[in-house]
Amino acid sequence: MAPRNWRLVDAVERNNLYQVYEQLREGANVELHYVGVTPLQMAIESYNEDIAALLLHWKADPNKHTASRAIGATYASGETCREMCDRMISKSQNPNKTKALKKIKQMMDDPNLLKEHVDGLQEKIVELEVEYAKTKMSTTFRWGMAGLFLTVTFILIHFVMVFAPEFTAQTFSQRFLNDVYTYSPYFLQHNPFVPPKPLIPGDYANCRVLEDGKTVLPFRNGVAYQYKEPKVSWLSGKAGKEDDDEEL
């Protein structure tokens, strides 16, 4: 099934009037079969007279037979949209649903009634279009801001790691540092979209890879920095480890 036709089926199933209108306007096949039923038969099953009117306006055939019966559906195999309306009206105990089904059946036979109903939908569709545009713009803005925030955060972390290596060693976990140094294209020139190659021990522009080939430390002006246990804990105020690790 072509993507556009699938989107039409999805819009009808979700009772999304604006998306149904969009897919029909862009050329979706109004007579496609999905598990044996057409979009018009799906709209009748949902008692949606607005979507049924749009589909009829785009020349959906009310005399088309269903080809199969899906589990849990309210249509019978081989029945037409007219027969489907008649059967559902006879069994309906909900006045609103009965009214919608009768209106759909009348629009199948009365072009003037169909035109009147479709004309009345224009204002509703315009309102839905404006609402959809606002939602799309809002979503785009939010994703844009999220992308900007991540980019700025990425740049700031790199800036700190390059120009404040001692602060970096004291602030970030060793695992975090290993991951950033390994996957960032800036430090070890690795492509972040492919698995990293084994690290080669040695000194690089802004980091040092230790002999284990896994641990990477901040490095600047010939000095590599590693986490030091503070002499006085800022949490407890008690003396901590007396012997600091020396700079490597």
Side-chain angles (χ1 to χ4, degrees):
M1 184 184 295
R4 187 171 308 287
N5 293 337
W6 167 253
R7 287 196 290 268
L8 174 60
V9 168
D10 182 61
V12 173
E13 191 172 26
R14 291 186 292 109
N15 290 310
N16 191 320
L17 178 64
Y18 176 71
Q19 287 297 320
V20 170
Y21 169 74
E22 277 289 287
Q23 297 310 314
L24 290 172
R25 190 174 63 172
E26 294 178 15
N29 179 12
V30 75
E31 294 294 2
L32 67 94
H33 267 222
Y34 174 69
V35 293
V37 295
T38 65
L40 179 56
Q41 290 159 344
M42 294 172 65
I44 295 171
E45 184 184 17
S46 299
Y47 307 93
N48 196 317
E49 56 189 279
D50 290 344
I51 290 179
L54 277 183
L55 294 169
L56 288 168
H57 179 70
W58 256 270
K59 307 305 181 185
D61 185 4
N63 297 312
K64 203 173 189 67
H65 296 268
T66 57
S68 65
R69 175 169 172 76
I71 297 175
T74 59
Y75 46 79
S77 180
E79 70 179 357
T80 65
C81 292
R82 299 177 192 277
E83 293 169 341
M84 185 176 179
C85 284
D86 288 337
R87 177 176 53 78
M88 293 176 67
I89 289 171
S90 67
K91 294 183 178 181
S92 176
Q93 297 180 350
N94 185 312
N96 293 328
K97 291 181 177 180
T98 301
K99 181 180 177 181
L101 290 169
K102 289 181 177 179
K103 180 74 175 288
I104 292 171
K105 187 177 180 184
Q106 288 173 345
M107 289 189 292
M108 294 178 190
D109 301 315
D110 189 342
N112 293 326
L113 180 62
L114 174 62
K115 183 178 183 305
E116 180 183 342
H117 191 96
V118 172
D119 289 344
L121 289 177
Q122 291 182 4
E123 185 176 349
K124 182 186 292 188
I125 290 174
V126 170
E127 291 176 356
L128 291 172
E129 186 173 17
V130 171
E131 183 180 343
Y132 177 78
K134 288 180 179 178
T135 302
K136 187 175 181 180
M137 185 180 300
S138 176
T139 302
T140 302
F141 176 77
R142 286 197 297 269
W143 277 108
M145 291 302 295
L148 178 62
F149 174 78
L150 290 175
T151 301
V152 171
T153 303
F154 180 82
I155 293 172
L156 286 176
I157 289 175
H158 278 63
F159 182 86
V160 170
M161 292 175 72
V162 171
F163 294 103
E166 187 173 6
F167 174 81
T168 298
Q170 291 296 108
T171 304
F172 302 112
S173 70
Q174 188 59 55
R175 181 176 180 179
F176 174 81
L177 294 178
N178 291 343
D179 288 342
V180 174
Y181 284 125
T182 300
Y183 289 97
S184 171
Y186 177 80
F187 293 106
L188 297 174
Q189 288 74 52
H190 285 166
N191 185 343
F193 300 104
V194 299
K197 299 177 181 179
L199 300 181
I200 300 175
D203 292 343
Y204 296 83
N206 296 289
C207 63
R208 171 180 289 177
V209 179
L210 300 188
E211 292 300 323
D212 61 7
K214 298 178 181 179
T215 305
V216 190
L217 304 179
F219 180 77
R220 184 173 174 82
N221 297 329
V223 179
Y225 296 86
Q226 195 167 20
Y227 176 75
K228 297 179 182 179
E229 187 73 26
K231 292 182 179 180
V232 178
S233 171
W234 63 275
L235 287 174
S236 64
K238 297 180 180 179
K241 188 177 178 181
E242 292 295 332
D243 298 327
D244 290 336
D245 295 333
E246 295 183 355
E247 294 174 350
L248 300 179

